[in-house]
Amino acid sequence: MGELEVEKHVQYILAVGKKKDDFESQVMDHLRMNGAYWGLTTLDILQKLDTVDPDEVVEWVMQCQHDCGGFGGNVGHDPHILYTLSAVQVLALFDKLDVLDIERLSNCVSGLQNDDGSVSGDMWGEVDTRFSYCAICCLAILHRLDKINVEKAVNYIMSCQNLDGGFGCTPGAESHAGQIFCCVGALAITGSLHHVDKDLLGWWLCERQVKSGGLNGRPEKLPDVCYSWWVLSSLIIIDRVHWIDKNKLAKFILDCQDKENGGISDRPEDAVDVFHTYFGVAGLSLLGYPGLKAIDPAYALPVDIVNRLFFGR
């Protein structure tokens, strides 16, 4: 099947974190908070989080917080729910949630919920089921889920389900594996999975596996390593992961490694990036690849972190 190049991936992630002037860093400047979450969570799954300085990371994360309580994608960037969740997840990795004013932050997040139960990404009002997931996951981690109307949030998510069993970004929008993860993950966190027809959704998801073993996000699209997370985690949450060939998927992910310089790409021979490196390693964790920490399919954090958050152990 091939071997995961752990040390090379660690060195790649550490190098990405230090670079500020190359093309990849410039392109990612506005979403550096997401990049920090992807990179640091990968290091933790690889059991190498001790290669970074927690104090340095926490200091930078807190510099990205705004007076409203939300976080921007980088220092000086506007706050958004996407970056706010990543900031909370990063702080959770290091057991540093105590640096937050949790009431202020949870009020900011809950204030983004609309009357119909949907969630806006920021003050400008764009609505997307990704934002519903981010708000629910963030508030759950902070133990403040009671700050929103969970029933309305669930009803809105279910209004985005299609006849094929999948979910879109808004009611009537095309089913997409990324949105399905967000909706299924949010339903799992809120204890609402009974609303889902698991066989119908499971069929749609398992149809995403192509001949190479990789997964795509929609019918007739090319496989992409990132769907090793979006599709696989959803199948695990609804208990239908046995409907795909897990060994072929693991081989596809391993074939996307840069074995010389580290990092994982979307498809074999393409350029690597930290986004696909995270989703590839996280996918292998879900598949039970030896030597990796287990990751929770709903919270997208290592299981030991989730256990600490909710069970104090």
Side-chain angles (χ1 to χ4, degrees), residues 130-203:
R130 289 179 302 156
F131 310 153
S132 295
Y133 169 78
C134 289
I136 287 169
C137 187
C138 186
L139 291 172
I141 290 171
L142 299 174
H143 299 278
R144 292 294 189 278
L145 203 48
D146 59 341
K147 289 268 189 181
I148 60 168
N149 187 320
V150 173
E151 183 180 359
K152 276 190 172 183
V154 168
N155 288 340
Y156 178 77
I157 289 169
M158 292 309 302
S159 75
C160 298
Q161 187 173 34
N162 293 314
L163 293 174
D164 57 16
F167 293 82
C169 57
T170 52
E174 178 186 14
S175 295
H176 186 285
Q179 305 295 152
I180 288 171
F181 160 77
C182 291
C183 294
V184 170
L187 294 173
I189 292 169
T190 57
S192 306
L193 281 175
H194 56 278
H195 291 296
V196 176
D197 182 335
K198 296 177 182 178
D199 284 343
L200 182 61
L201 177 57
W203 170 80

